[in-house]
Structures are given as structure tokens and as C-alpha cells.
Amino acid sequence: MKVVIVGGVAGGATTATRLRRLDENAEIILFERGEHISFANCGLPYYIGNIIKDENDLLVQTPEKFKERFNIDVRIKQEVIRIDRNNKKVEIKKKDTGETYFETYDKLVLSPGAEPINPFKDVKSDRIFTIRNVNDAEKVKAFIKSNNPKSAVIVGGGYIGVEMAENLSEYNMEVSIVEKAPHLISIIDNDIAHFVHKEVKKHGVKLYLNQGVNKIEEQEKLVLTLDNEKIETDLVILCIGVRPESNLAKEAGLTLNEKGAIIVNSKMQTSDENIYALGDAVEVQNIITGARSGIALAGPANRQARTVANNIEGITSTYDGFIGSSILKVFNYSLGIVGLSERVCQTLKIPYKIMIISPYSHATYYPGAKMLTIKAIYNSETSQILGAYIWGKASVDKITDILSIAIQTKMKAADLSALELCYAPPFSSAKSPVNILGNAIENEINDLVDTISVEELRNEEKPYILDVRTIEEYNLSHIDGAINIPLDELRENLKKLDKSKEIVVHCHSGLRSYLACRILKQKGYNVKNLIGGYIMYDIMKND
């Protein structure tokens, strides 16, 4: 068996090592046109920001180690430029000499990745950068060291854009993000984006939202012409997005989708059964919706690599799809993202409702407990969990992972309530945040409480609002026109409320207002609980 692998990093390198563990006698050749075969590309922003100080810490494996430990023939600075499917061979070009030669294969694996989108290639400037590999990161670091720029503009406010903003801020330069969408991390819901905006702005990052970059000019500074204004800067990093690098597959006649991604089956085979593909360049299925698209995440690429290697070696294995589990560091906070957004549910006409709770990361009597904000999207007919966001300073990864498993296994609200999760005061609460989320959704499903979102409240004309926080909390800040009756005084003051009107009840996070709703509903009042409480109202008001 002779296997040729095109491209390293998460997909190609992982395929190669799995193949070797399965088959000591296979001939495995890995081609990488760059000089690094396996590096932590997700760590590049943190290397630029000097959080990761040594370049070698980013290198997962070197060609020498691959040869020594796995007996894999790694050929760096050699690019596969053509696939001859009929004769099962590839043509390779040596980057140093320009020499070309051919190599045959029994099975071919394509892991070309995706290339950064750069609509400004015509602008010849050494102050405009894209980030794909270690060399790109080195160029940014060298520029900063040599030129001491005072300002930087990041074009694109997705995952990498936000991470780059945080890390460039380590240099005490003025950092701005230009994002064409209405908010940062465009795949997330609008209400959760407000938390991201607040934290980013708190650290001095300027946001230009709903604006695209129409032109970049090289003058004394770089001048960016936006939709509504012009801004000047010393440095530009393009984080607009990526596109599948699939020209090799296209020229070989493999089937691609309309966006250029390579179409594969569940075994990761292309339209040629002897050619496999994986990683950022392929189209795969969303487990929840069944829709097919690309997913540029290292986790799915690693799992796809195992599937490829297994099938090449005769072990039947399938990659069934993704749900988009991810986590993002945003300065002092973390944002966990998993499953479907409200927008996707609306587009696909999936019946859904949302629940927002604000529990603590662990028992509040143990020092260091941090408040979380958890938003869940669930099927309003079945209570199945469809998606979730988790925002906070602690336990975000743990809760995101639990909810990821819940979505993959099609858990419903009652299943979350019933989960037995580990507890000790320094780590969680006897009733964990995930249990609390399940309970809250169950309460609504069982008609114990009706809810209303902040966005829905804004659309209501002259809503009748009851604030059940303490007088001190109310005096500090409150919704205009809200009546204040603290929860513990509510039963004695029911006559102050107008029973003929729908009453929107809120507290700080939603717990006390839920208790108030239960009292009022059983007394015959028409009430709704404001989802997320004053926390959500305030952050959406101030952004």
C-alpha cells in the first residue's frame, strides 16, 4: 500500500500518523509546500501577541521527528501541482529548484486547507497581512518590531479578527475592527454579540460595524475607504474569511460544490474512490439540519483524518457531520458556541424558543464564583436542545462541552434536568448550570411561566413592567416606566398592579422574576418573565 498525502497540519499529519499505527508496512509520503508540516495554526494570534513566546512551541511535529518516530517520508517545500487520476500519480514541483517529478499512489489524500480571502492583492504594500501559517505570523511580528506601529486595523470581526484584536492590544497600539455584518462573530445571535462588543470596547478596541472596506491606498499611512468614512492606520491585517484551496481537485475533475469545496461521502471519499479529502477544503453535513457546508475547525479535521485512515486500511468508519462546537477567548471572558443560531432556525423554519439564565460557575459561598450567561435555543414543540451560547469567566468550556454532547445526542430539556454531574463547592453547584437550564426550559414547556425577550419587549407599545428587585437596585438603574415592588413584598402589594394588563416581570437575572411570575399567575394575573432579566436589557441598551 502506497499512500500519498497532500498537505499537513491537522488533517494530513493526523492521517499519516493514524495510517502508520494501523499499518507498519505501508509506504506513506506527505508533501507540504511550506516548511512546517504540523503546527498549531489556532495559536498564531497568541504567538503574534507574545503570549506564546517561542515559535517552536507552535510546531507539533518536525519532518525529522516524523521520520524517526513514524517512518513517514515527509517532503517539505514541495508542491503537488497536478493529479493524473488515470495513471494514479501526482506531479510535484520542488520550490527551491523548480524541478518537477512524478510519484505514484494507491490512495491519495487531499488536505490542502483553505486560503485567506484577500480582495486587495492589487495593493502592493508591506503593511497589509493575512494570517495562515507560522511564516505569516513571523512577518507580522517582524514588522511590529521594526516599525513600532501606533495603530492597526483588522478587516473582519470573526474568530481570528477578535483574537487578533486582543493580541495586537498587547503592543499598546490603537486597534480597530472593521466588520461588514451588524455585529462581531456574525454567526452568533445579536443579543449575545452585545456581550462581545462590551468587552472588546472596554479594552479600547474601536468597532466599525455594518461597514465594508471598499479601497485601501498606500500613502504616508494606509488609508481605508469604508462605506461611510475613511480611516488611517499603520498596519492592516485581513481576517475576512477563507475559501477552500481546491484548484488541484478541480483541475483533476473531482466534484466540487458551488463554493469550491470538495464533495465527499461519509467515508471522506471524493468522486474518485481512490482519492480522499478532508479539512477546511471539503463540504460536510450539519448533523442537526442535514445541510452541507464547510467547517474550518481543527477538531472536525482531526476526526475526519481518523475516518480517512481507517477506511484506507479497511476499517469501516464514517464521519457523520458537525454541529460547530467552538470556544473563543475575548480578553477576560470566554464565549462558547454550539449548534444552531436563532437566524438559522428562522431560515429553516424550525419552531424554536429561547431561554437565558445567569447562574454562577460554582457554589457562591465558595470564593471566586463567577456569573455566567447561558442562552439556549430549543425546539418549542419537542424541547430538544438545538443550540447554545455560554459567556463568562469560568466553566465556559465545561458547560459548552456538556451542551455539545446534549445536542449531538438529541437531548431534551428533561434530559438536561436529569443529568448527574460532578459537584464540589470549588467546581460547580449541587444543581449545576446545565440542570438549571433544563429546569427553566421545562418550566416554560409545562406552562408554568410565559416569557418575553428584550427584543420583543422593545417592540411592545407602552409595556406594563414590574421590577421585583430591591429598592436599592431599582434606584441604581431601571427600565423607564417600570413599577418597583420587591419580590419579598409582592404578596402584600398585589392590589397595586393592574389585573387587566399583561405584566412583564423582571429582576436582575430572571430567577426572582420567575418566582414573582408563579405568585402572580396563580393569583390570576397575566404575566411574562423577561428572559435574561435586567442583565440582558442593560447590555443591549448600552451597546
Side-chain angles (χ1 to χ4, degrees):
M1 172 77 74
K2 182 177 180 181
V3 182
V4 169
I5 301 171
V6 181
V9 199
T14 303
T15 302
T17 55
R18 174 66 175 170
L19 280 170
R20 175 57 74 223
R21 291 193 295 272
L22 294 176
D23 188 347
E24 182 62 24
N25 299 313
E27 181 181 359
I28 305 169
I29 307 174
L30 192 154
F31 290 99
E32 171 55 53
R33 68 184 177 190
E35 57 185 290
H36 303 297
I37 56 162
S38 184
F39 62 91
N41 50 2
C42 295
L44 294 177
Y46 302 100
Y47 176 57
I48 290 172
N50 285 323
I51 305 301
I52 299 170
K53 299 187 182 299
D54 190 341
E55 173 190 324
N56 291 322
D57 291 337
L58 293 171
L59 304 181
V60 181
Q61 287 284 359
T62 64
E64 295 76 19
K65 287 182 180 178
F66 251 53
K67 180 64 177 176
E68 180 182 349
R69 176 167 293 182
F70 298 105
N71 191 27
I72 292 169
D73 182 359
V74 175
R75 303 180 191 178
I76 60 172
K77 297 183 181 179
Q78 298 194 33
E79 182 177 7
V80 175
I81 58 174
R82 186 168 68 88
I83 302 170
D84 180 351
R85 290 168 55 194
N86 292 330
N87 296 299
K88 295 181 72 173
K89 62 183 181 179
V90 293
E91 184 178 4
I92 301 101
K93 181 178 182 180
K94 294 182 178 180
K95 297 190 75 173
D96 290 341
T97 65
E99 173 192 352
T100 63
Y101 68 98
F102 288 91
E103 195 72 60
T104 61
Y105 66 83
D106 294 313
K107 301 293 181 183
L108 179 64
V109 180
L110 303 180
S111 181
E115 60 179 338
I117 295 171
N118 181 1
F120 305 104
K121 288 182 178 178
D122 293 338
V123 183
K124 304 303 179 185
S125 173
D126 61 359
R127 296 184 284 181
I128 302 174
F129 301 89
T130 57
I131 307 295
R132 182 180 186 181
N133 53 40
V134 178
N135 288 339
D136 293 336
E138 285 284 10
K139 289 176 184 176
V140 175
K141 292 189 73 167
F143 178 88
I144 292 172
K145 184 177 181 179
S146 300
N147 297 277
N148 191 28
K150 300 292 187 264
S151 60
V153 170
I154 297 158
V155 182
Y159 289 72
I160 302 299
V162 172
E163 289 173 341
M164 284 304 312
E166 176 179 348
N167 283 280
L168 290 180
S169 296
E170 295 292 323
Y171 292 97
N172 295 317
M173 67 175 81
E174 183 182 277
V175 179
S176 303
I177 301 176
V178 179
E179 170 55 53
K180 198 165 188 176
H183 57 71
L184 298 179
I185 323 294
S186 61
I187 64 168
I188 70 176
D189 287 335
N190 176 64
D191 48 6
I192 298 300
H194 289 284
F195 290 96
V196 178
H197 293 177
K198 181 179 179 181
E199 179 67 5
V200 167
K201 288 177 179 177
K202 188 172 77 176
H203 288 83
V205 177
K206 293 183 179 179
L207 299 183
Y208 296 85
L209 304 175
N210 269 318
Q211 296 213 58
V213 177
N214 300 310
K215 184 167 61 173
I216 300 178
E217 298 171 282
E218 174 88 62
Q219 298 179 11
E220 184 176 343
K221 288 179 175 284
L222 291 171
V223 179
L224 282 70
T225 302
L226 311 185
D227 293 341
N228 301 321
E229 58 192 299
K230 289 186 177 183
I231 56 177
E232 295 183 342
T233 186
D234 298 323
L235 165 67
V236 168
I237 297 183
L238 301 177
C239 302
I240 299 171
V242 295
R243 63 166 61 92
E245 193 157 333
S246 55
N247 285 339
L248 189 64
K250 181 180 180 181
E251 290 169 3
L254 299 178
T255 305
L256 311 181
N257 70 9
E258 67 280 359
K259 293 184 178 179
I262 305 168
I263 294 177
V264 293
N265 61 21
S266 62
K267 294 182 178 180
M268 305 307 297
Q269 288 173 305
T270 67
S271 51
D272 183 324
E273 64 178 10
N274 293 307
I275 301 178
Y276 294 77
L278 72 159
D280 297 355
V282 304
E283 173 197 86
V284 285
Q285 180 173 275
N286 184 299
I287 294 173
I288 310 168
T289 67
R292 298 184 67 84
S293 66
I295 179 76
L297 293 172
N302 273 279
R303 292 190 295 280
Q304 292 164 15
R306 186 179 179 89
T307 300
V308 169
N310 284 353
N311 284 301
I312 287 175
E313 290 297 332
I315 301 172
T316 301
S317 182
T318 61
Y319 177 76
D320 296 323
F322 68 94
I323 62 169
S325 301
S326 58
I327 190 166
L328 174 68
K329 183 178 181 294
V330 186
F331 290 94
N332 296 325
Y333 282 81
S334 299
L335 173 64
I337 305 168
V338 61
L340 305 186
S341 65
E342 285 195 68
R343 184 169 63 252
V344 170
C345 289
Q346 290 163 3
T347 300
L348 298 179
K349 294 182 170 49
I350 298 172
Y352 78 94
K353 294 196 77 169
I354 68 170
M355 179 56 65
I356 300 174
I357 62 170
S358 298
Y360 281 86
S361 56
H362 62 249
T364 53
Y365 59 81
Y366 187 89
K370 305 294 184 184
M371 180 175 279
L372 297 154
T373 295
I374 303 175
K375 173 180 178 179
I377 298 106
Y378 66 95
N379 188 304
S380 56
E381 296 177 354
T382 67
S383 85
Q384 181 180 326
I385 310 303
L386 301 172
Y389 302 101
I390 301 87
W391 174 261
K393 292 183 176 181
S395 297
V396 172
D397 55 342
K398 175 173 70 175
I399 295 168
T400 304
D401 284 342
I402 294 170
L403 292 176
S404 173
I405 293 169
I407 292 170
Q408 291 177 67
T409 56
K410 300 183 179 180
M411 285 188 179
K412 300 180 179 181
D415 299 315
L416 297 187
S417 298
L419 280 177
E420 183 177 328
L421 303 170
C422 62
Y423 159 64
F427 305 107
S428 187
S429 302
K431 191 162 35 176
S432 84
V434 175
N435 296 142
I436 294 169
L437 177 64
N439 294 346
I441 296 173
E442 274 198 290
N443 287 339
E444 183 162 26
I445 289 288
N446 293 328
D447 201 30
L448 294 177
V449 64
D450 293 322
T451 59
I452 184 171
S453 70
V454 171
E455 291 183 347
E456 289 171 330
L457 179 66
R458 285 175 167 176
N459 293 328
E460 287 207 354
E461 187 176 343
K462 295 181 180 180
Y464 189 63
I465 302 172
L466 171 63
D467 184 336
V468 296
R469 298 176 299 161
T470 64
I471 294 172
E472 291 77 15
E473 289 175 288
Y474 179 85
N475 288 337
L476 189 64
S477 182
H478 60 266
I479 301 174
D480 289 344
I483 301 166
N484 179 224
I485 304 176
L487 173 63
D488 294 339
E489 301 172 18
L490 182 58
R491 289 183 178 86
E492 291 75 38
N493 290 279
L494 293 177
K495 291 182 180 179
K496 292 182 179 180
L497 299 173
D498 189 340
K499 208 167 189 176
S500 67
K501 295 182 177 179
E502 178 185 271
I503 304 172
V504 176
V505 188
H506 82 85
C507 62
H508 185 62
S509 64
L511 175 58
R512 284 173 290 174
S513 53
Y514 166 68
L515 300 175
C517 283
R518 290 301 302 142
I519 293 169
L520 293 171
K521 187 166 185 175
Q522 293 178 79
K523 296 292 185 180
Y525 289 83
N526 180 16
V527 291
K528 286 186 176 179
N529 194 12
L530 182 63
I531 303 173
Y534 193 77
I535 293 173
M536 289 302 302
Y537 176 85
D538 188 53
I539 200 162
M540 293 179 72
K541 175 190 71 175
N542 291 326
D543 185 11

